Amino acid sequence: KNQVEQSPQSLIILEGKNCTLQCNYTVSPFSNLRWYKQDTGRGPVSLTIMTFSENTKSNGRYTATLDADTKQSSLHITASQLSDSASYICVVSPRSSGGSYIPTFGRGTSLIVHP
Amino acid sequence: KAGVTQTPRYLIKTRGQQVTLSCSPISGHRSVSWYQQTPGQGLQFLFEYFSETQRNKGNFPGRFSGRQFSNSRSEMNVSTLELGDSALYLCASSSSLTSGSYYEQYFGPGTRLTVT
């Protein structure tokens, strides 16, 4: 069964500090992995998308890494800001083989940034 | 360019009723996907439509159905509502031509459905 596990479940950090969120998956065969940021009451917003051949992808202060061998990804946030307070969701998509394609979502990490 | 819009934003229904939610994708996007988000299960994929055809479906009962019109607008219908259907229903559009591909997905703000 395809699964995506995210850790930690929640995280509290001080403004200006860095943090790293983890995503482990069992989806196979693997097509791409996405990180989303979801503010309370709003739809998710894409941060990064990586295929199995990519090791790292950056989007401003957000840097995602991928190790397809160990099936692990991380999202590093640099110099956190109050606006980074949100839920961060990891989504893994299988490689479409002409059959059913169902992306698997992690439960998310809730990040709170305190001033 | 306008983003993905969903209507209504909030809805309260009674058990046993049916409901229809609407999603208008970003102009030019032909792929529309629907998702259910609950505190207990997180985000789950419902189905995806492309050029008026359902090309992927998640593991939801047949009470959940959808359709897409020629202008790419999509509707989702839930019949015989149950308490457990209370959730945030999100739709996302993409310019993707194939399922599961590398294209960016843009989410709408969602419809908050409460079943009493």
Side-chain angles (χ1 to χ4, degrees):
Chain A
K1 179 183 176 184
N2 289 335
Q3 287 186 310
V4 175
E5 302 283 346
Q6 289 189 245
S7 62
Q9 190 173 9
S10 61
L11 183 62
I12 300 174
I13 62 174
L14 291 176
E15 186 180 13
K17 298 296 186 182
N18 304 335
C19 67
T20 300
L21 315 181
Q22 299 290 343
C23 172
N24 296 340
Y25 62 93
T26 62
V27 177
S28 183
F30 164 80
S31 171
N32 63 74
L33 184 147
R34 302 163 185 250
W35 282 95
Y36 285 96
K37 176 188 177 189
Q38 185 175 24
D39 293 314
T40 302
R42 307 188 71 169
V45 174
S46 179
L47 295 175
T48 63
I49 309 173
M50 290 184 292
T51 66
F52 61 88
S53 61
E54 295 177 288
N55 299 118
T56 185
K57 184 69 70 77
S58 290
N59 178 1
R61 296 180 297 102
Y62 301 100
T63 299
T65 63
L66 173 64
D67 186 332
D69 291 332
T70 62
K71 294 184 169 58
Q72 296 180 324
S73 176
S74 64
L75 180 69
H76 186 74
I77 304 174
T78 304
S80 60
Q81 301 175 359
L82 298 179
S83 59
D84 292 332
S85 295
S87 179
Y88 291 83
I89 301 169
C90 173
V91 187
V92 183
S93 298
R95 195 178 308 154
S96 180
S97 58
S100 181
Y101 146 80
I102 301 176
T104 303
F105 290 80
R107 301 296 292 274
T109 292
S110 177
L111 174 66
I112 297 174
V113 181
H114 279 165
Chain B
K1 203 180 244 191
V4 177
T5 58
Q6 292 187 244
T7 57
R9 291 293 313 279
Y10 302 91
L11 204 50
I12 299 175
K13 288 287 188 178
T14 304
R15 266 183 306 174
Q17 289 185 316
Q18 75 166 14
V19 67
T20 299
L21 312 181
S22 181
C23 171
S24 293
I26 291 173
S27 177
H29 287 187
R30 294 160 63 188
S31 167
V32 174
S33 299
W34 287 90
Y35 302 86
Q36 181 195 65
Q37 186 173 32
T38 61
Q41 298 295 324
L43 268 160
Q44 296 182 90
F45 172 75
L46 280 158
F47 30 65
E48 179 197 8
Y49 284 86
F50 180 83
S51 292
E52 302 179 66
T53 300
Q54 184 184 89
R55 67 178 178 184
N56 274 299
K57 188 177 188 306
N59 299 319
F60 278 80
R63 300 185 297 107
F64 292 82
S65 63
R67 59 177 175 169
Q68 187 180 34
F69 302 93
S70 58
N71 62 358
S72 293
R73 189 178 71 84
S74 177
E75 287 183 347
M76 191 195 92
N77 184 275
V78 187
S79 62
T80 319
L81 284 166
E82 301 177 359
L83 294 179
D85 296 333
S86 294
L88 180 66
Y89 289 89
L90 294 157
C91 85
S93 75
S94 165
S95 57
S96 166
L97 299 179
T98 59
S99 292
S101 62
Y102 195 67
Y103 288 83
E104 193 71 68
Q105 270 203 329
Y106 298 88
F107 282 83
T111 293
R112 173 73 62 185
L113 171 65
T114 302
V115 182
T116 62

